[in-house]
Amino acid sequence: MELILRNSDQKISNLNQHVLVIPSVSNGNVGQLAVECLVHNFDVANHLDVRSIGWLRSRDVLPLAGNTFLGKEKKKSLIRINLELYQDEKNKIVFLIQRAPSPSGKERAFSSSLLKWATSMGFERVLVLGGSATKDSTLNRPMNAMCVGSTAEENENLSVVAKIEANWEKFSKETWIDRFPYSGMLRLYLTAAQALKIRLSALVLPCVEGNNFMDGMRVAATALHYLSKNKSLVPSPDDSEIKWALECPRTWSLVDQDRPLESSMY
């Protein structure tokens, strides 16, 4: 795993105290949709500043290149590839947009190398967003939350994040029962995090594969609420909660249209 910076004069020595938000390529592409939704809304929000900082080079993900817009961009000016990183430096959050899956047999290698890279860069924690399969198409499907590692030290400091995670399911590969079919690399991420002793949390929404835009937005909204508990994501100190309504990235509208998708996206 290698970080390729977008600008040659950029320097990113470490990402201490940053949260790395990644998708689990899974049922309905919910995790990928959620991360893209977050990046778009961070970019269009006037009080936040997110920017593309580069790409990750990995042999364990299928290659992809295209040209499309994201966030406030008015034209397709940047090349997009399979693994792109965006950073909100002020709030210490890095998002990984993953546009292609790992080929069969490479999932374990990719999940392990990504978390090893995160450890080497000094990330404080990792947040995985994803989906799983269900036959329930109603709107009251429960969001599943789990985490890896002890939060004892955080509880001593009365961390808000620790209080949130106190009631979350604690992952253990010894007692794991796969209740989340088609959840992609979720279990591999949880297992790798446990082995590397890196703090990792996961939000998983069961869904029926189809038009999953709203599922992606629901996961994004939940992730935003989680991130806001230890990051300054509100417009001013007077706001105790985020008061914005998430909007769909413009690229999502390209999927539901009469004419074919532009070939430049592939």
Side-chain angles (χ1 to χ4, degrees), residues 24-31 130-134 181-184 205-209 212:
S24 173
V25 180
S26 52
N27 198 55
N29 296 319
V30 170
S132 65
T134 183
Y182 297 97
S183 56
L205 179 66
C207 62
V208 177
E209 193 163 43
N212 297 103

Side-chain angles (χ1 to χ4, degrees), residues 59-256:
R59 295 180 178 180
D60 301 318
V61 173
L62 293 173
L64 178 145
N67 182 17
T68 187
F69 46 73
L70 188 65
K72 291 182 288 190
E73 296 171 1
K74 300 298 183 183
K75 60 181 180 179
K76 303 172 184 178
S77 58
L78 299 175
I79 294 297
R80 312 293 184 188
I81 65 170
N82 51 5
L83 299 169
E84 188 171 3
L85 289 170
Y86 285 80
Q87 180 187 29
D88 180 345
E89 187 173 7
K90 175 185 176 183
N91 293 299
K92 299 185 182 300
I93 303 173
V94 171
F95 301 95
L96 172 64
I97 290 184
Q98 182 175 348
R99 297 186 173 94
S102 294
S104 179
K106 293 290 186 179
E107 297 93 345
R108 186 179 301 276
F110 175 72
S111 58
S112 179
S113 62
L114 177 57
L115 293 192
K116 286 180 180 177
W117 173 79
T119 301
S120 69
M121 295 300 291
F123 280 97
E124 177 184 274
R125 66 175 66 239
V126 177
L127 176 62
V128 180
L129 308 179
S132 65
T134 183
K135 295 181 180 179
D136 183 5
S137 60
T138 62
L139 297 177
N140 60 351
R141 286 163 285 137
M143 183 78 67
N144 297 282
M146 62 193 69
C147 58
V148 172
S150 171
T151 56
E153 294 181 2
E154 292 179 302
N155 280 320
E156 289 178 2
N157 298 325
L158 298 178
S159 163
V160 174
V161 173
K163 291 178 181 178
I164 294 175
E165 294 185 350
N167 296 320
W168 287 20
E169 179 182 343
K170 304 300 186 293
F171 170 76
S172 170
K173 64 180 180 180
E174 290 79 14
T175 59
W176 172 267
I177 299 176
D178 193 0
R179 296 182 290 107
F180 308 111
Y182 297 97
S183 56
M185 291 188 291
L186 173 64
R187 182 177 181 179
L188 295 176
Y189 280 130
L190 292 166
T191 304
Q194 188 177 56
L196 294 169
K197 297 182 179 180
I198 183 173
R199 287 184 289 182
L200 182 144
S201 307
L203 296 171
V204 184
L205 179 66
C207 62
V208 177
E209 193 163 43
N211 185 333
N212 297 103
F213 293 145
M214 292 302 101
D215 294 322
M217 291 192 72
R218 181 179 170 189
V219 174
T222 305
L224 193 58
H225 177 76
Y226 171 83
L227 291 169
S228 70
K229 294 304 179 181
N230 66 335
K231 302 296 178 183
S232 302
L233 302 182
V234 291
S236 70
D238 296 330
D239 291 321
S240 59
E241 295 289 343
I242 296 176
K243 293 180 172 56
W244 59 10
L246 293 177
E247 63 178 53
C248 293
R250 289 176 295 161
T251 51
W252 292 6
S253 64
L254 296 175
V255 178
D256 188 18

